[in-house]
Amino acid sequence: MSLLSIFLLLNTVVFSVHSLPNAELPAFREAPAFRNGRECPKTTWLSSPDNYHDPSIIHIAMTLDVTYLRGSVAGVLSVLQHATCPENVVFHFIASHRRSDLLRTITSTFPYQTFHLYHFNTDLVKGKISSSIRRALDQPLNYARIYLADLLPMSVRRIVYFDSDLIVVDDVAKLWNIKLGAHVLGAPEYCHANFTNYFNYRFWSNPAYAAALRGRRACYFNTGVMVIDLGKWREGKYTEKLEYWMKVQKKYRIYELGSLPPFLLVFAGDVEGVEHRWNQHGLGGDNLEGLCRDLHPGPVSLLHWSGKGKPWLRLDSKRPCPLDSLWAPYDLYRHSTLFCDS
């Protein structure tokens, strides 16, 4: 195990669900209990992380912070509500600040689930991040997905990574069970991308940098929904490969879009394609104005409000987009105007 892995795992805190006092965060209504059907296989994950290799367990990773907490809660509820075997789903949360408060909130909202919370040391990336077109893209926690293979126990060999601004409207097991083959990760691909839109003249004018994309299929993928083989990731040292491009960006500024371009430089054209239904992204609009958008043609298993506009903010402001009504049923936020303890 690398020194980085040891450092991160020593900062891991694993929690079981018990009655905990309310956190100093927005309050949420308690979610119902979601139970397995008779057809669901039995698992042993509750007793020990050493049993995480159990193929019946579905591992989902998400970041957890104050700003996106409402979105995270809605995302968790949507996964559990549509899962055939919800008790076999394990959530791995990555947080950098107010971890105990966030844990109390998430466990009091879902008292019948067990969650695991890992500390992300933001010092790992602070010196590698440069400003982008939107401040939210520059937050250190936005880069935590790069370190999942180091943060999670070695016994976790595969993970589904979800952003905190999406809902799942299908059985997540269908996504979990995709075959990655020789690929490290799988995601919905869009193979008519124009990579000149993602990198600036400093990148293209440097032959060594431009060579990174030469001969590659021009396939864009959104990093908010990924299925990752953590074993292959660790073997290939992909964290270091992504960090290399972050360091180049910090010194020479070769792109403008936060954590996405490093993933394109390392993985574009070498991703296991997943049905587009598993990331109907862009529902938050563009990164500058957040204008309303429609769904892409085709079936839908996951709706993703990537972009500037977030459904909970637009709903609260009484200026929702039409598709925000699809997110609203999963919102467990306890509005003070509707709930009062006095």
Side-chain angles (χ1 to χ4, degrees):
M1 183 180 293
S2 68
L3 290 176
L4 174 59
S5 299
I6 295 172
F7 174 76
L8 290 169
L9 288 174
L10 285 175
N11 283 279
T12 297
V13 184
V14 180
F15 298 90
S16 297
V17 176
H18 299 287
S19 298
L20 293 170
N22 292 328
E24 296 178 2
L25 293 172
F28 297 89
R29 303 189 303 279
E30 182 179 305
F34 296 96
R35 300 303 188 192
N36 284 355
R38 292 182 177 178
E39 71 278 14
C40 294
K42 299 294 185 181
T43 66
T44 56
W45 68 270
L46 283 170
S47 59
S48 172
D50 294 335
N51 295 318
Y52 278 155
H53 64 273
D54 185 334
S56 301
I57 300 171
I58 296 174
H59 296 279
I60 297 176
M62 300 175 70
T63 58
L64 202 62
D65 68 350
V66 175
T67 303
Y68 284 86
L69 180 59
R70 192 165 163 189
S72 299
V73 168
V76 171
L77 176 62
S78 71
V79 169
L80 296 175
Q81 186 166 312
H82 294 281
T84 300
C85 303
E87 292 181 274
N88 292 8
V89 178
V90 179
F91 287 92
H92 301 267
F93 290 115
I94 315 299
S96 57
H97 298 96
R98 299 189 66 181
R99 297 188 303 280
S100 59
D101 288 346
L102 290 165
L103 176 73
R104 282 192 289 268
T105 295
I106 204 77
T107 53
S108 63
T109 305
F110 300 97
Y112 304 100
Q113 295 291 132
T114 297
F115 300 98
H116 299 266
L117 184 64
Y118 307 84
H119 170 57
F120 178 62
N121 180 10
T122 58
D123 290 340
L124 288 170
V125 295
K126 279 183 178 177
K128 304 182 184 77
I129 298 175
S130 58
S131 61
S132 62
I133 61 174
R134 187 159 61 90
R135 185 177 179 183
L137 300 176
D138 305 335
Q139 301 306 307
L141 199 58
N142 194 43
Y143 291 81
R145 71 196 79 190
I146 293 174
Y147 297 90
L148 292 175
D150 297 299
L151 286 164
L152 273 61
M154 294 293 289
S155 55
V156 179
R157 301 172 184 175
R158 170 183 280 224
I159 198 77
V160 174
Y161 175 82
F162 282 153
D163 271 351
S164 296
D165 53 0
L166 58 77
I167 56 171
V168 177
V169 293
D170 202 346
D171 187 355
V172 74
K174 298 176 183 177
L175 177 62
W176 170 259
N177 287 322
I178 68 166
K179 304 298 183 183
L180 292 179
H183 295 105
V184 177
L185 64 82
E189 284 187 302
Y190 301 85
C191 290
H192 299 288
N194 183 352
F195 282 156
T196 59
N197 294 331
Y198 297 100
F199 306 96
N200 61 30
Y201 72 94
R202 295 186 189 90
F203 175 85
W204 296 111
S205 63
N206 186 312
Y209 298 159
L213 294 174
R214 188 174 300 129
R216 307 261 292 276
R217 292 186 302 142
C219 296
Y220 159 87
F221 66 98
N222 179 279
T223 58
V225 177
M226 298 184 289
V227 182
I228 304 173
D229 185 320
L230 293 179
K232 290 189 179 76
W233 183 293
R234 291 164 179 141
E235 291 171 5
K237 299 183 178 180
Y238 282 94
T239 296
E240 289 88 340
K241 293 177 181 179
L242 290 161
E243 285 185 323
Y244 166 77
W245 287 111
M246 292 170 63
K247 293 173 184 176
V248 171
Q249 162 70 356
K250 184 67 175 178
K251 188 172 182 179
Y252 298 108
R253 194 167 183 84
I254 58 175
Y255 54 78
E256 310 292 335
L257 279 172
S259 63
L260 171 63
F263 273 89
L264 294 181
L265 287 164
V266 173
F267 292 109
D270 192 22
V271 169
E272 178 63 32
V274 176
E275 285 185 274
H276 289 174
R277 67 190 301 156
W278 283 105
N279 196 352
Q280 286 271 352
H281 67 282
L283 305 186
D286 59 79
N287 279 316
L288 298 176
E289 298 182 24
L291 301 176
C292 295
R293 289 185 176 175
D294 296 325
L295 289 174
H296 307 289
V300 179
S301 293
L302 184 151
L303 297 98
H304 186 187
W305 277 261
S306 57
K308 183 178 181 180
K310 303 306 173 189
W312 57 91
L313 297 178
R314 295 194 296 219
L315 287 164
D316 285 355
S317 68
K318 309 300 182 184
R319 294 187 298 177
C321 289
L323 291 177
D324 295 345
S325 63
L326 300 177
W327 182 89
Y330 302 95
D331 185 17
L332 292 175
Y333 179 60
R334 189 185 295 270
H335 291 268
S336 58
T337 55
L338 300 177
F339 299 90
C340 182
D341 294 332
S342 60

